[in-house]
Amino acid sequence: MARISLTPRRTLFFRVMEWYSKRTYGKVLDPGRALAHNPRVLWSDLAFERSVAKWNALDPDLKALAEMAASASIGCSWCMDFGYWVGRERGMTREKLLDVPRWRESEVYTPLERDVLEYAEAMTATPPAVRDELAERLRDRLGEPAFVELTAMVAVENLRSRINSALGLTSQGFKDSCDLPAAAHQAPSAK
């Protein structure tokens, strides 16, 4: 259960955020509801997220895996749920998204994806436990701009996951909407 009310004052700003969230995601995101208790924090968060969304040096699938690995390390069920939904919307395989918490045992990842997952976990550890060899391998394979973006994305996801976890935010059922039976997606047949 959330540690903060998810019914902030219905200011004009909150109503606009609520409308945008419903239009974009099909529901109002709980982190938005929680942060709306402090409009300056919410405004800053939205501006920051819009800026982060423009980063494009790193492959989007690698970025998604890094974000989910950081979320899994922290234990943020809200972030894992939303990350799964975002990944599926982008066309990532169900197996890669589901296996993130147990990536070491999974056989669905490439060597580069494994390095990204390991890096995200190592960065998320307290204190960070990034090995020089891993950083060098990633920097060499990704290039410096993408490596910097990877590092920043893991840090951003740590911010998101730690806020959501501390506020007690949990899954909103985004993953469930991705796993509808195939028959639910088919049009009724004409008889």
Side-chain angles (χ1 to χ4, degrees):
M1 185 159 141
R3 294 181 180 113
I4 187 167
S5 159
L6 297 178
T7 54
R9 273 188 338 109
R10 296 192 48 75
T11 63
L12 177 60
F13 176 48
F14 176 71
R15 290 192 315 261
V16 169
M17 186 277 302
E18 190 175 45
W19 169 83
Y20 177 81
S21 185
K22 282 180 187 173
R23 189 175 133 249
T24 305
Y25 308 108
K27 57 181 91 175
V28 181
L29 303 182
D30 285 349
R33 291 177 194 254
L35 296 182
H37 286 286
N38 186 324
R40 287 183 183 197
V41 171
L42 177 58
W43 183 261
S44 296
D45 182 67
L46 293 173
F48 178 66
E49 289 292 347
R50 279 192 335 206
S51 178
V52 168
K54 294 176 186 173
W55 298 351
N56 63 3
L58 181 62
D59 174 84
D61 287 352
L62 295 177
K63 189 180 301 191
L65 291 174
E67 289 172 308
M68 288 187 72
S71 298
S73 291
I74 291 167
C76 180
S77 69
W78 193 94
C79 298
M80 291 297 292
D81 177 47
F82 189 69
Y84 179 91
W85 180 80
V86 169
R88 290 297 289 151
E89 288 288 306
R90 289 191 55 274
M92 289 183 71
T93 67
R94 182 177 187 277
E95 293 73 26
K96 280 191 180 184
L97 295 165
L98 288 175
D99 281 1
V100 168
R102 57 186 173 278
W103 65 267
R104 284 177 178 81
E105 295 82 36
S106 176
E107 300 196 10
V108 299
Y109 301 107
T110 67
L112 176 58
E113 290 169 335
R114 289 180 176 289
D115 282 349
V116 165
L117 291 161
E118 182 180 349
Y119 186 73
E121 281 186 359
M123 247 190 88
T124 301
T126 304
V130 175
R131 294 178 299 108
D132 290 340
E133 309 81 45
L134 175 61
E136 183 179 336
R137 233 178 13 250
L138 282 165
R139 189 187 65 237
D140 290 348
R141 293 190 67 196
L142 297 173
E144 289 183 339
F147 179 66
V148 168
E149 187 170 314
L150 170 63
T151 303
M153 281 312 307
V154 173
V156 167
E157 189 54 43
N158 268 261
L159 172 70
R160 293 171 182 150
S161 292
R162 290 176 188 281
I163 288 172
N164 293 341
S165 292
L167 293 176
L169 304 181
T170 58
S171 169
Q172 274 188 264
F174 282 99
K175 180 186 166 299
D176 299 337
S177 68
C178 297
D179 289 339
L180 296 175
H185 294 291
Q186 297 173 355
S189 60
K191 291 187 180 185

